[in-house]
Amino acid sequence: MNDRLRLPTYAVAFSLAFYLAAAVLSIGTGAYKLSVFYDPLLNSTLPLLVLSIAFQVIDRRGTALALGVVIAALFAISSMLFLTISELAAGVLTELSAGLVGYRGLKASVINTSTFGLTEGALSVPIGSLFLRYDVPPLAFLAFLPALAVVSACMGLAGEILWSHISRAG
């Protein structure tokens, strides 16, 4: 594949996979109806695993930002504007962390995936509650953040393990 087209092509493909996994999990479980915290926590599982692998497959400067922009555009098309803000912020912050740790390796995978997942979840809850006019209990939100960080870090670890097996297999 042409090197210039690699980042945008893979960014769109992995963003679509992220978006579809998030939609299937959210709609399939009714997570958005159960709790304001359940949906972001669910989005930190399979969808975040897809992104963890995407970071390592694409392995280029601008990867996290491109993924964040495409995912934000997909949520905007779906009229979920409050999620566009959290996705853009997650892309920017993850791009900054990737500038320090890179995209490949266990450390980079866990840090970048945790940064994206934690930013996305931590922003989507309060922003979503503003759009939906729902009060989020502050103590519950503070208790939610460590759980989100742990799940995100586990997905980074799982993404590294999966990617190492995929890359060894050829």
Side-chain angles (χ1 to χ4, degrees):
M1 174 180 292
N2 183 344
D3 207 37
R4 271 189 16 239
L5 297 177
R6 181 178 179 185
L7 176 62
T9 303
Y10 282 159
V12 168
F14 278 106
S15 295
L16 279 170
F18 173 91
Y19 177 79
L20 291 173
V24 166
L25 285 173
S26 183
I27 294 169
T29 62
Y32 56 92
K33 295 177 188 174
L34 297 175
S35 168
V36 71
F37 301 115
Y38 192 56
D39 192 44
L41 196 59
L42 205 56
N43 274 343
S44 292
T45 57
L46 182 61
L48 206 55
L49 180 63
V50 169
L51 284 189
S52 178
I53 294 170
F55 293 146
Q56 297 176 68
V57 168
I58 301 171
D59 192 27
R60 296 268 188 282
R61 182 177 292 142
T63 296
L65 187 59
L67 290 166
V69 167
V70 175
I71 294 168
L74 290 169
F75 281 121
I77 291 168
S78 303
S79 299
M80 291 186 268
L81 297 176
F82 65 94
L83 289 175
T84 61
I85 299 165
S86 61
E87 299 301 331
L88 289 171
V92 168
L93 290 176
T94 305
E95 189 61 42
L96 291 173
S97 76
L100 299 173
V101 297
Y103 286 105
R104 285 201 178 156
L106 179 60
K107 179 177 156 184
S109 181
V110 171
I111 289 173
N112 293 334
T113 307
S114 297
T115 302
F116 199 97
L118 194 55
T119 305
E120 175 191 37
L123 291 177
S124 68
V125 170
I127 293 171
S129 69
L130 288 174
F131 272 79
L132 301 173
R133 292 182 175 85
Y134 176 82
D135 291 330
V136 176
L139 289 177
F141 182 66
L142 290 175
F144 164 73
L145 294 178
L148 187 63
V150 168
V151 171
S152 297
C154 288
M155 290 302 108
L157 176 63
E160 168 60 26
I161 292 168
L162 269 166
W163 173 245
S164 68
H165 287 293
I166 291 168
S167 62
R168 269 191 255 136

